[in-house]
Amino acid sequence: MVPVLLKKHKYGIFLFAVIIILIISFCLNTKNLFPLNLSWLQSKPANNQRILMAAHNDTSNIIRIGQMTSSTIPMIDQQLDEIVKNQNPAAAFAQLRRLMADDNVASRCHLLAHTIGESAFIKYKNFKEAIKFNDDICGSGYVHGLAINVLNASANPTDTIHSLCDGMDGFCYHGIGHGLMFYTKNNVPDSANYCLTLDTNEHQTRCSEGVFMQNFESSELQMYATPYFFPNDPLKICRTETHFKPACYLYAGAYLAKQNLKTNTDLFSACNFSESGYINQCVSGMGSYIMATNLNNPKKAESICEQIDNQAVKSACIDGLVSYHLVNYNSIEKTETFCASLEAANQPACNTSLLKRKQYYQK
């Protein structure tokens, strides 16, 4: 049939080539060859969609939360989503714990826990039902994923943020901060003002940490533009922030570490552009990111902090290590073991950081 077409039709070769391209495109599902802009269908995510499934207007560029540099992470993300659908969040957490022996998974487990929370909200369509499966591993990413979806669907965020976390700890309020950034389309001042309406200083602070963490997230984890993120001067927003400077400098530091850790031998100097009194907060944020990327190799994390000559600044870096270690494992006992494994000169700073946080964590 094809030879006849080539002989009888002067455009046969052209048509044959087009047919072959279309067949290959279809078989490989390479929709990026012929992207369709369906943004007119995506003005707001449907209630049964995970929020970041609509992160980009062009459906050919949809990014699932948790999709990072490793090619295995999107598959794990999908797997956890399917486990929630077919079983329950507890089964998904059991699988995540097994997979965390891999460094790529361990360093991204907070985002993968977000996935479980988002998927649980879709399945149960009710925060109180979904929260029954709460697991604080990986920095309480589960409740953050829930809170993002609840606030995105909220008609009155003020009422929601004042009732959502009743009877829960500060991690839930951190999730509210993330959710407010989705609700306000990454408007940091508006989100921070919502945080200020919460009942206690601790709840306000935890909420603000969620706000600034979301502000400094990478672009593939953003649903909206980030008008308060300045890539050429990441600390700019912190210098103008009036209520929550510590939270801002903490997550700005984490962002700076992410950008510079592999390429900059003088990593910590980036925090020198912080305002007076906030350099150590910025360095602590760096330490937090360093711990997040070295959970299975904590001695390597310590060795990076060891590059700092100034003892007070080095202690701030150790403080960041402790902060993320606790957030990830939600275990005082495991972090006590971590502190004991450090060099003798660094153990006092580690134990001091642990002591000031003990009240927020399980034994």
Side-chain angles (χ1 to χ4, degrees), residues 18-35:
V18 170
I19 289 169
I20 293 300
I21 290 172
L22 289 174
I23 290 172
I24 293 173
S25 177
F26 176 79
C27 292
L28 296 180
N29 193 26
T30 53
K31 60 186 175 182
N32 285 333
L33 290 176
F34 304 99

Side-chain angles (χ1 to χ4, degrees), residues 43-54:
S43 59
K44 185 176 181 179
N47 288 335
N48 64 345
Q49 288 181 302
R50 285 168 54 199
I51 295 300
L52 289 182
M53 289 289 285

Side-chain angles (χ1 to χ4, degrees), residues 164-358:
L164 186 65
C165 297
D166 286 350
M168 299 187 66
D169 59 27
F171 292 119
C172 182
Y173 291 92
H174 180 108
I176 282 178
H178 281 280
L180 286 169
M181 286 289 279
F182 281 87
Y183 181 84
T184 65
K185 299 182 179 180
N186 282 337
N187 188 313
V188 171
D190 284 356
S191 297
N193 284 335
Y194 277 118
C195 291
L196 285 169
T197 69
L198 292 171
D199 56 345
T200 70
N201 287 334
E202 181 196 344
H203 293 164
Q204 291 174 15
T205 298
R206 293 299 185 95
C207 178
S208 74
E209 289 170 353
V211 168
F212 285 103
M213 182 177 181
Q214 187 63 42
N215 187 64
F216 288 106
E217 289 283 21
S218 51
S219 59
E220 68 266 25
L221 299 179
Q222 299 288 2
M223 186 173 171
Y224 304 104
T226 51
Y228 294 92
F229 170 67
F230 309 99
N232 294 328
D233 184 8
L235 298 176
K236 178 178 178 179
I237 186 174
C238 302
R239 291 191 288 268
T240 59
E241 170 59 30
T242 55
H243 297 289
F244 299 117
K245 282 184 183 291
C248 186
Y249 277 107
L250 184 71
Y251 287 101
Y255 170 81
L256 289 169
K258 181 179 181 180
Q259 295 303 111
N260 300 311
L261 186 58
K262 293 182 179 180
T263 59
N264 190 347
T265 56
D266 192 15
L267 170 68
F268 299 99
S269 64
C271 286
N272 290 339
F273 297 96
S274 306
E275 294 170 272
S276 177
Y278 291 99
I279 291 177
N280 285 1
Q281 188 73 358
C282 177
V283 171
S284 182
M286 285 189 163
S288 181
Y289 179 80
I290 291 166
M291 186 79 260
T293 54
N294 292 283
L295 280 168
N296 293 328
N297 191 358
K299 291 297 289 183
K300 180 180 178 181
E302 181 189 18
S303 71
I304 297 173
C305 292
E306 280 285 321
Q307 297 173 14
I308 303 172
D309 294 327
N310 183 287
Q311 187 57 48
V313 180
K314 184 188 295 184
S315 294
C317 185
I318 299 295
D319 178 76
L321 302 186
V322 172
S323 174
Y324 195 85
H325 196 279
L326 273 169
V327 160
N328 185 75
Y329 293 110
N330 193 37
S331 169
I332 293 172
E333 184 176 6
K334 285 186 176 182
T335 307
E336 285 175 338
T337 301
F338 163 69
C339 286
S341 74
L342 299 185
E343 298 296 321
N346 293 326
Q347 289 184 20
C350 190
N351 290 324
T352 298
S353 295
L354 175 58
L355 182 63
K356 72 181 182 181
R357 294 180 171 92
K358 271 190 173 183

